[in-house]
Amino acid sequence: MSITIDFSPADMKMLQVQATAGNVSVEEFSRNAIMKAAKNAEYLAELRRRTKDIRECKNMVSFTDEEWEKFIHDRAG
């Protein structure tokens, strides 16, 4: 799949500088930047879902002090 994006001359210059600094083509730099942004958006969405779950006390597990002590000692030894 291909896409076309129009950049201002100033934005294009910045992309060229960054691509050159990374020793990649502008196209590869742009693809990598888009994929990084998409993965970051996915990660942030997951953080928002988990934060909401915590606020709503959903999908949470709790332990007593004794259970934590047992867990720590069982893993250490």
Side-chain angles (χ1 to χ4, degrees):
M1 177 179 172
S2 64
I3 60 173
T4 302
I5 303 172
D6 292 322
F7 291 104
S8 71
D11 288 343
M12 194 63 213
K13 174 103 173 135
M14 188 267 303
L15 289 171
Q16 289 170 330
V17 168
Q18 294 303 313
T20 300
N23 200 29
V24 295
S25 68
V26 171
E27 291 81 5
E28 186 176 355
F29 178 83
S30 299
R31 182 188 184 286
N32 291 342
I34 289 168
M35 292 308 299
K36 183 177 180 179
K39 288 176 185 177
N40 285 343
E42 184 177 59
Y43 177 71
L44 291 172
E46 180 65 21
L47 288 177
R48 282 190 294 275
R49 280 191 295 275
R50 291 181 184 209
T51 300
K52 182 177 181 240
D53 283 350
I54 290 169
R55 279 194 217 114
E56 296 174 359
C57 297
K58 292 181 182 175
N59 301 318
M60 295 179 61
V61 177
S62 60
F63 295 93
T64 65
D65 289 342
E66 293 80 20
E67 289 170 325
W68 275 117
E69 287 294 325
K70 182 177 180 334
F71 175 78
I72 291 168
H73 292 303
D74 288 349
R75 292 188 51 102

